[in-house]
Amino acid sequence: MEVLVCTTPGEFAYQQSEKPALTPGNTIIKIKRIGICGTDLHAFEGTQPFFNYPRILGHELAGEIVETDGAPEFSVGEAVTFIPYFNCGKCVACRNNKPNCCTSIRVSGVHIDGGMSEYLSVPSYSLVHGNGLSFDELALVEMLSIGAHGIRRANVEQNEMVLVVGAGPIGLGTMEFARIAGANVIALDINDARLAFCREKLGVAHTINALTDNVLEKLSEITNGDMPTVIVDATGNLRAINTAFSYLAHGGRYVLVGLQKGEISFSHPEFHKREATLMSSRNATRADFEHVISSMKNGLIDPTTYITHRVTFGQVKDEFEGWLDPANGVIKAMVSVG
């Protein structure tokens, strides 16, 4: 079978590899769609923290079952996605029902080779039923689950003011699930086109451009002086992460979904006087995947809105670098395989 390997930062190569053989407790999936995510882009740039080369990228995946062992509720030919965070099942996190932050987690396309290939073997316990969704929709479930998990971590309540910093795909999904939770959403970014997408496609009432607006004044105006009670960072940008501490309401919660390599810093007195809560949000759980699929099925979210670019598997090598350029307006690139 053909695979696409990120050999070093900035370099891809198509290679031939053996089609995976069925082994106990695993399932072979014929890949149909690959969503390109921020992790893939950062890996290509060489800025992804949990990464080494060479690596086959790809973990936003949809396909159909070719062979399976240990998955009695699934059948050959069924359309599926899967949870691409493979956990040990034994560590303190797994024992406490947090497999998404397993101490020895292996994320498909990050720690181990992923799905930029024609076939992929995955643990059968990771399979997720397609429930009648299209391959395009199924390939977007993982991305949206990241935002859904961040909102669940924040325990967002009805009518709360939620500021989402970063209007990339993860941030957009976070906004959607904040809305579904009943929050009033504020989008903050430096890209006017992304902010327009928030208003026009997602119905976000409040948008702020950090380059041209006085962010503190705008937030105070929108929240009647209270400031946001929940802030979610979806940028992975150190300056944006550090600056957003000053936007937080007293008693508020700050959730870091975005990831960067450096050390965050903030004023302890300012954080302390707010009795603020700082938390990270890593990956997602089966409950989040199920929430996303249910939201799609019930018409609460239209995932195909995010797809702005489409290519075939054979075009990825030539097109990939262009997706890093904000001028190209990429929200979500979707790859068709086979």
Side-chain angles (χ1 to χ4, degrees):
M1 68 174 182
E2 190 172 44
V3 300
L4 181 59
V5 182
C6 187
T7 53
T8 61
E11 295 291 337
F12 274 124
Y14 288 103
Q15 298 178 3
Q16 290 295 312
S17 178
E18 289 294 321
K19 178 183 171 183
L22 184 66
T23 54
N26 290 289
T27 293
I28 308 299
I29 297 174
K30 181 177 176 58
I31 301 298
K32 292 291 190 178
R33 297 290 188 280
I34 308 166
I36 304 300
C37 80
T39 299
D40 301 323
L41 297 172
H42 295 153
F44 183 76
E45 288 180 310
T47 58
Q48 221 290 336
F50 307 126
F51 207 83
N52 53 64
Y53 304 85
R55 179 66 68 224
I56 300 172
L57 307 181
H59 63 267
E60 295 182 2
L61 303 165
E64 61 183 29
I65 294 175
V66 175
E67 297 179 86
T68 184
D69 178 81
E73 297 179 1
F74 291 82
S75 56
V76 171
E78 181 178 351
V80 294
T81 186
F82 67 97
I83 302 170
Y85 332 117
F86 307 145
N87 62 293
C88 73
K90 300 175 182 179
C91 72
V92 61
C94 291
R95 295 197 309 270
N96 285 295
N97 198 32
K98 292 179 71 69
N100 55 299
C101 61
C102 169
T103 61
S104 55
I105 199 165
R106 298 178 304 146
V107 178
S108 179
V110 179
H111 306 98
I112 58 175
D113 284 339
M116 285 196 182
S117 61
E118 295 180 85
Y119 296 90
L120 185 67
S121 176
V122 303
S124 294
Y125 68 73
S126 70
L127 294 173
V128 177
H129 289 288
N131 283 340
L133 296 179
S134 69
F135 288 126
D136 282 349
E137 291 171 321
L138 287 172
L140 292 167
V141 170
E142 191 274 340
M143 176 200 85
L144 293 168
S145 295
I146 299 294
H149 186 70
I151 293 301
R152 186 158 65 92
R153 286 278 287 149
N155 194 27
V156 171
E157 297 181 355
Q158 191 82 17
N159 295 319
E160 276 200 277
M161 286 289 185
V162 175
L163 171 65
V164 179
V165 185
I170 297 298
L172 297 173
T174 303
M175 295 174 204
E176 295 264 56
F177 284 94
R179 170 185 56 80
I180 290 170
N184 298 304
V185 180
I186 308 165
L188 176 64
D189 202 274
I190 60 173
N191 185 315
D192 276 330
R194 288 283 177 94
L195 293 172
F197 186 94
C198 294
R199 293 189 298 270
E200 297 164 10
K201 301 296 186 180
L202 305 188
V204 175
H206 307 290
T207 60
I208 303 172
N209 188 314
L211 293 181
T212 57
D213 295 322
N214 185 313
V215 178
L216 284 169
E217 285 185 4
K218 291 280 287 186
L219 287 173
S220 181
E221 177 187 332
I222 293 166
T223 64
N224 294 317
D226 288 340
M227 304 304 281
T229 51
V230 174
I231 297 175
V232 182
D233 175 80
T235 67
N237 177 278
L238 184 58
R239 182 177 179 183
I241 290 169
N242 288 342
T243 303
F245 281 93
S246 64
Y247 306 151
L248 190 62
H250 282 238
R253 292 99 72 203
Y254 188 9
V255 184
L256 301 180
V257 174
L259 177 65
Q260 51 78 45
K261 287 186 172 182
E263 296 180 354
I264 59 173
S265 62
F266 54 91
S267 166
H268 189 177
E270 289 294 321
F271 188 76
H272 190 89
K273 76 181 185 183
R274 286 168 169 77
E275 197 181 55
T277 301
L278 174 63
M279 63 186 84
S280 60
S281 178
R282 188 179 187 194
N283 299 325
T285 66
R286 183 169 290 275
D288 301 310
F289 275 66
E290 291 172 351
H291 180 36
V292 169
I293 289 172
S294 174
S295 296
M296 288 182 182
K297 294 287 287 184
N298 291 327
L300 298 177
I301 185 169
D302 179 6
T304 58
T305 300
Y306 298 94
I307 301 173
T308 54
H309 293 64
R310 292 181 180 275
V311 298
T312 64
F313 186 54
Q315 295 173 311
V316 176
K317 181 178 183 293
D318 292 333
E319 297 290 333
F320 196 95
E321 189 169 3
W323 298 333
L324 293 163
D325 186 351
N328 290 326
V330 179
I331 301 293
K332 176 61 62 175
M334 184 65 67
V335 180
S336 295
V337 184

